[in-house]
Amino acid sequence: MFRSRVLTGLLAGALLTSLVACGGTGAASTTSDNSGKVVTVYSADGLADWYKTRFEAFTKQTGTKVQLVEAGSGEVVSRLQKEKSNPQADVVITLPPFIQKASADKLLQDYQVPGSDQVKGPKAADYVTVIDNYLSFIANPSKGALPRTFDELLDPRFKGKIQYSTPGQAGDGTAVLLLLQHLLGKQGALDYLKKLEANNVGPSASTGKLQPKVSKGEIYVANGDVQMNLTSIANDKSAFQVFFPATADGKRSTVALPYVMGLGAGAPNKDGGEKLMTYLLSPEAQQTVSGDAFGIPARSDVKPTDANYQLVLKATTGVEVWQPDWNAVLASLDADVADYNKAVQG
């Protein structure tokens, strides 16, 4: 499911596309329809459960069907770049800093979504947070005590049993690098990840594909995010637990990793795209975020009380949430990823 970070069967109007998991090569059969009766959404994978019910409701209200192309968070932007001379996407939903990359490359157009004033997450003239989420880690409890700290992940008992998704390709993997930079400094993060290579299985373009590997005990520890991991536990009965490793002082921290949406530049169905964005940020749709998908509403004036929301709050209690300056992150991302690759491959 989202959670497997691969496409699950979707959607309103039976307009379906196929995909690849986070950071992978997005492959989809998109059929352009300029009749105004189809809205095409390019999205980072992960929100299948929420999209299914929301897109059906939107179609019922408006008569407009929704066509979804799911791919990795970075691949979404790569696809937009490839199609710049012939845009296909009406709505774009991906993780930072990739949404900022799309903005910087003029792949989005301005649209002030009603309700944006209630959003505290990343937003600009051409994008706005739609669902809040956080970086997390998962471990198989049958393979020994859950590691409490980052230092414990360096223990030889984890040799060949840790894997994290690749920074620069996967949004969650990029967040791992950013969190370590925040906690240890840029050089400290590189030094740590170089040491971790002794236990690391190797690169993974997909965060979601790590979940079944941890659940089966093929690996013991992986990165993920709260929404994806809790959904996998609830819906797929995955045999892992969510945790947040601490630094030496015992402090547990995470990175805010929201889904952010924008209106595609040159959108074939601009009006339909605006209507869908308006609907997804409406109180009606926002109220369903946690119940359908273990997400956190982006709107501060929406206060869910469902059991899933309580589980998210419980999982993150006592964890300090860091909100990066995503434009600053984007400015140094290429250099940071190059330094990372040099450190772990050297």
Side-chain angles (χ1 to χ4, degrees):
M1 304 198 46
F2 161 26
R3 314 310 162 186
S4 61
R5 248 19 201 183
V6 293
L7 183 68
T8 55
L10 270 279
L11 183 335
L15 283 169
L16 196 57
T17 58
S18 61
L19 72 143
V20 200
C22 185
T25 303
S29 58
T30 45
T31 303
S32 180
D33 186 327
N34 297 325
S35 67
K37 293 301 182 181
V38 175
V39 174
T40 299
V41 177
Y42 283 11
S43 177
D45 43 4
L47 294 177
D49 298 319
W50 190 58
Y51 286 153
K52 184 179 187 299
T53 55
R54 291 311 100 210
F55 290 171
E56 287 173 351
F58 177 76
T59 299
K60 186 175 181 179
Q61 289 181 14
T62 65
T64 300
K65 297 176 182 178
V66 183
Q67 177 173 256
L68 177 69
V69 178
E70 266 190 320
S73 47
E75 176 62 19
V76 167
V77 178
S78 295
R79 191 179 184 107
L80 293 175
Q81 291 167 330
K82 293 172 185 176
E83 296 172 352
K84 193 170 185 177
S85 62
N86 182 29
Q88 301 296 309
D90 299 307
V91 176
V92 180
I93 302 176
T94 192
L95 308 183
F98 301 104
I99 194 73
Q100 285 79 15
K101 173 66 173 173
S103 177
D105 289 351
K106 309 299 183 185
L107 301 174
L108 305 175
Q109 59 180 303
D110 290 359
Y111 176 54
Q112 190 70 29
V113 186
S116 296
D117 59 315
Q118 296 294 332
V119 174
K120 295 182 179 179
K123 59 183 176 181
D126 55 357
Y127 61 79
V128 63
T129 297
V130 65
I131 291 180
D132 282 328
N133 193 19
Y134 313 103
L135 172 71
S136 59
F137 291 80
I138 54 174
N140 187 316
S142 71
K143 302 302 180 180
L146 268 65
R148 296 167 299 173
T149 67
F150 282 105
D151 285 344
E152 286 187 37
L153 295 177
L154 303 177
D155 192 287
R157 78 180 176 98
F158 292 115
K159 185 174 179 60
K161 297 299 181 181
I162 291 177
Q163 194 169 19
Y164 61 94
S165 51
T166 306
Q169 295 184 31
D172 295 324
T174 302
V176 170
L177 177 60
L178 294 177
L179 178 61
L180 289 168
Q181 289 178 340
H182 174 64
L183 297 173
L184 306 175
K186 288 196 174 186
Q187 188 57 51
L190 295 177
D191 293 343
Y192 175 82
L193 289 169
K194 184 174 183 178
K195 293 177 183 177
L196 189 64
E197 279 300 288
N199 293 342
N200 185 28
V201 173
S204 173
S206 166
T207 308
K209 286 185 178 180
L210 302 182
Q211 292 188 131
K213 294 173 73 174
V214 176
S215 184
K216 295 174 184 176
E218 296 174 14
I219 58 176
Y220 299 170
V221 176
N223 69 311
D225 61 63
V226 172
Q227 181 203 14
M228 173 176 68
N229 297 152
L230 291 181
T231 300
S232 184
I233 292 170
N235 295 352
D236 302 331
K237 310 305 177 187
S238 294
F240 53 66
Q241 294 181 13
V242 175
F243 75 105
F244 299 87
T247 46
D249 60 3
K251 181 184 296 184
R252 296 184 301 148
S253 305
T254 188
V255 179
L257 203 59
Y259 287 88
V260 187
M261 65 179 176
L263 186 66
N269 187 354
K270 180 174 181 287
D271 181 64
E274 291 178 349
K275 288 178 179 177
L276 179 60
M277 291 173 67
T278 297
Y279 172 71
L280 293 179
L281 201 63
S282 69
E284 173 193 350
Q286 288 283 298
Q287 190 68 44
T288 68
V289 165
S290 53
D292 286 353
F294 284 91
I296 299 292
R299 292 181 63 128
S300 59
D301 59 343
V302 174
K303 306 291 186 182
T305 59
D306 59 87
N308 287 356
Y309 182 73
Q310 298 305 316
L311 285 173
V312 173
L313 293 181
K314 181 179 179 180
T316 55
T317 296
V319 181
E320 181 179 290
V321 178
W322 174 49
Q323 303 277 357
D325 178 341
W326 289 108
N327 289 315
V329 168
L330 178 63
S332 63
L333 183 63
D334 288 346
D336 288 346
V337 170
D339 288 343
Y340 162 78
N341 288 328
K342 182 178 179 180
V344 299
Q345 295 169 9

